Amino acid sequence: MVRVRAGVLASVAAVVLGAGCHAPALPPGRATPVVTVEPAPRADGIASVFRLHVAGLDADPGALVLFRGALDSYHAARLRSAALPSTLDELRVPGTVWSASPLPDGGISAAELVLAPSERLDAGETYTFGALGFGVLSTFVVTAQAEDYADRVWPPHAALGGGKRWVFCGDGAMPPPGSRVTSEPVALTWSVGAGADSQGTASDRCIQLDADEEPSLGLGSQASSDGGVATLDVGGPSTSFVVPPPAITGLALDPAPISLGAPPEPPAAAPCDPTTVALGPACARVLDDRVFVGNAAASLFWVFSAPTTMMVAEAPGQEFMLGALTPGTPVEVTGTVTDLAGNETAFATRITTRAAMPHLVLDEVLANPDGVEKTSEWVELVNDGAADVDLDGWTLQDSGSVRTLPHAVIPAGAYVLVVPAGYDPTSVLDVPPVEGTLLVRVDELGTAGLSNQGETLTLRDPSGTVASVFPALAASKPGVSMARRKPTSADDDPTAFGASAPPGASPGAPNVLVY
C-alpha cells in the first residue's frame, strides 16, 4: 500500500491523480488526514476495485463518501457543510465503510476508517473521495487498462446469509489454490480453492473461497469479531457483512458486500410428480434436447460437470434449462449443488431424452414502429429446437383476439416474422428484417394492432398447450422493439426482457438488449 497526504492520492502519479483542489484549511494543531490506497496505485491511476483507508480523520465511518466525477466549488462546499443537494447525492457511489482500528478493550478508535466501493468503478473515469463535514479528501482517476476481474456468482448479491463458500468467475488468469485471504471488517480467513466446487469444476475460470471457520455473526448486529463497526452505506439499515479482498494475485474480485449469519430456513421441497425425475434436491422435466430443473424451496448453486460444464445460481421458485442434449439418447447428469449455508452435495442421475419435438419461442415484438402503426408491426418467433416446425394450427393470442397461423415450415434455428397483411419489408422507416427471413402474414396483429402500452402475447401449439409467453411491456419509443434476452430465457423471468439496443430492433437475427 502507498500512504499519501489527503488531497494528493499518489505522488508517483500526481498528474493523473492530482490534488483535491477543494480540501479545506485545517484549524491550527489539527493533523492532516492521510489516505492509503489498497492495492497501491499505478502510474496511470488506481485499480477499478480498491479500498481507501483514512487515518487522522475525526469522523464517523458513515461520513466517508465517494462521487463520480470531480466536484466544483459549490458541491465541495456542500460536502463540507454535510448538506448534499440532490445533484450531488445522485453521483454517490454505493460503498461499505467501517472502522479498522479497534482499541485494546474492544472499543473503536478514530485512527483509521475504510471505504470500499461496492461496485467496480469505470476504467478511465474520475472520482472524488471525501467526508461529510470535512470536504474533499482526494480526486483520482481509475486506470484505463482494466485488470483481470471475476464476478461473484455465489452467493447471489441479494441473498441474506452468505454462508461459508463464495465463488468468483472471470476470463482472466485464476490465482493458484492453497493460499489464504482475510475478509473485512469481520476478520475471517478464507482458503482459496480451484474451480466452482470441491471437484474443481471450471478451474480455468473460477475460484472458490471457503471459510476456515463457521461465519456465525447474526444478521442485524453491528459489532464485528475484531471490534470493528460495519455499515452498509447504501441508504438502508446496517447489517453484519464482510467484503472480499480487492484482489488475489492480480485478479480483482467483485466487491459487493456479503451478509453474514445463517440464511433463512427453506421450506421442505415438494416430492417430484410422475412427469418429472429427481435431480439432486430438485425435480427435472426431461424433454428432447433440454431438461428443465426447478426447486421452489431454496436458493441453490448448481455446478454441472456432465453432460456439459455449466453453473446456475437458482432462485426459489425459478426454473432453469440444461440444454444442447441429443434427442432420444441416454444422458449422465453429474455435478454438485451448494446451498446458502455453504453445504455441498454431489449428484449423479441417468436420464433418457425424448424424441425431437417443436420448440417455438416468442422472441421479439415491435408494437410501436416508426412506420404506419398497424401495418409496420411484427412479432418474431424463433425455432429453438432440433426439429423443423410447421406453424399450421398454432395460435397467437393477445389481449383481445386469437390468430390461427397458416402453414409454414420453420427450420431448426430459424427466425420468422408474423406480420399483418399490409407489411412492407422494404420500408426505410424501421429496421428491415434480415435478408431471407420468412414472413408469415395474417389479416392483422391484435384487435386493432398491437398496443404500444404492452399486452401479453401467448403462443400455443395445435393441441392448445402454451409454448411461449411474451409479457406486457410498454414500447420504449417508436422504432424500438422489446426483446427476449435469449431464446432459453424463462417466460416468468423479469430480467429476461427489455428494449433492443441500437439500431432499435433485430428482426430475423439474435437479440441484443440495451442492458
Side-chain angles (χ1 to χ4, degrees):
M1 295 192 293
V2 174
R3 288 193 177 274
V4 295
R5 292 288 178 183
V8 182
L9 196 57
S11 58
V12 296
V15 174
V16 178
L17 312 179
C21 58
H22 305 295
L26 296 174
R30 182 175 176 184
T32 301
V34 176
V35 176
T36 300
V37 187
E38 178 194 2
R42 305 186 315 204
D44 63 340
I46 71 171
S48 62
V49 179
F50 61 88
R51 294 175 185 167
L52 294 170
H53 301 246
V54 184
L57 180 67
D58 185 14
D60 182 87
L64 299 185
V65 284
L66 185 66
F67 301 100
R68 298 184 182 277
L71 302 191
D72 57 24
S73 57
Y74 166 75
H75 287 110
R78 296 299 294 269
L79 177 60
R80 287 196 298 272
S81 66
L84 302 185
S86 59
T87 53
L88 187 54
D89 202 47
E90 291 170 356
L91 298 175
R92 288 186 67 171
V93 177
T96 53
V97 293
W98 64 90
S99 169
S101 300
L103 295 174
D105 62 359
I108 300 299
S109 77
E112 184 168 281
L113 306 178
V114 184
L115 181 145
S118 58
E119 60 188 33
R120 188 186 190 188
L121 300 190
D122 297 330
E125 294 300 316
T126 299
Y127 292 83
T128 298
F129 178 45
L132 298 173
F134 177 86
V136 173
L137 290 168
S138 188
T139 301
F140 59 86
V141 174
V142 174
T143 176
Q145 295 182 326
E147 66 271 66
D148 288 342
Y149 178 80
D151 284 305
R152 192 179 87 225
V153 298
W154 188 256
H157 284 194
L160 288 177
K164 56 189 178 183
R165 170 172 293 175
W166 309 338
V167 179
F168 297 84
C169 298
D171 296 328
M174 295 294 110
S179 61
R180 282 177 166 76
V181 297
T182 302
S183 61
E184 291 189 54
V186 180
L188 298 174
T189 303
W190 303 77
S191 299
V192 179
D197 59 7
S198 64
Q199 299 181 6
T201 308
S203 60
D204 60 328
R205 63 182 186 275
C206 297
I207 60 169
Q208 56 189 287
L209 301 184
D210 288 302
D212 290 352
E213 57 188 294
E214 189 74 27
S216 59
L217 194 63
L219 290 171
S221 171
Q222 293 187 43
S224 72
S225 60
D226 65 352
V229 172
T231 303
L232 276 177
D233 183 24
V234 292
S238 62
T239 186
S240 303
F241 71 96
V242 287
V243 293
I248 302 177
T249 62
L251 178 72
L253 301 182
D254 184 340
I258 305 169
S259 66
L260 289 180
E265 283 293 330
C272 298
D273 63 47
T275 65
T276 62
V277 297
L279 182 61
C283 301
R285 294 189 295 117
V286 181
L287 301 183
D288 53 345
D289 62 347
R290 63 197 67 187
V291 173
F292 288 96
V293 182
N295 179 288
S299 294
L300 296 172
F301 180 53
W302 296 82
V303 180
F304 292 90
S305 53
T308 186
T309 300
M310 187 176 83
M311 290 167 287
V312 178
E314 178 198 15
Q318 287 192 341
E319 195 175 53
F320 67 90
M321 189 186 83
L322 178 65
L325 306 180
T326 302
T329 305
V331 179
E332 292 287 343
V333 182
T334 61
T336 63
V337 61
T338 301
D339 62 19
L340 280 174
N343 303 308
E344 179 188 292
T345 303
F347 60 86
T349 302
R350 185 179 179 86
I351 61 174
T352 299
T353 56
R354 296 166 59 182
M357 56 193 297
H359 290 288
L360 280 183
V361 177
L362 286 164
D363 197 47
E364 188 177 2
V365 176
L366 181 64
N368 187 13
D370 270 324
V372 179
E373 277 285 338
K374 290 182 60 176
T375 58
S376 299
E377 300 170 345
W378 47 259
V379 174
E380 180 189 79
L381 310 177
V382 60
N383 182 357
D384 186 44
D388 295 351
V389 179
D390 190 341
L391 284 181
D392 188 23
W394 289 68
T395 60
L396 180 62
Q397 179 180 351
D398 56 70
S399 59
S401 66
V402 177
R403 305 290 171 191
T404 299
L405 303 181
H407 163 73
V409 177
I410 316 303
Y415 296 83
V416 59
L417 294 188
V418 181
V419 299
Y423 177 76
D424 180 7
T426 65
S427 171
V428 297
L429 296 177
D430 291 293
V431 178
V434 172
E435 185 176 354
T437 300
L438 178 64
L439 303 181
V440 172
R441 297 184 183 272
V442 294
D443 290 340
E444 61 180 349
L445 291 173
T447 305
L450 298 174
S451 170
N452 292 352
Q453 303 307 311
E455 57 185 321
T456 301
L457 301 179
T458 303
L459 181 70
R460 288 185 170 86
D461 68 16
S463 71
T465 301
V466 174
S468 182
V469 176
F470 200 95
L473 299 173
S476 59
K477 59 182 180 179
V480 176
S481 68
M482 305 306 289
R484 189 183 297 259
R485 193 170 300 278
K486 54 185 179 180
T488 56
S489 297
D491 291 343
D492 60 353
D493 181 358
T495 69
F497 301 84
S500 289
S506 56
N511 300 332
V512 180
L513 276 57
V514 293
Y515 56 87

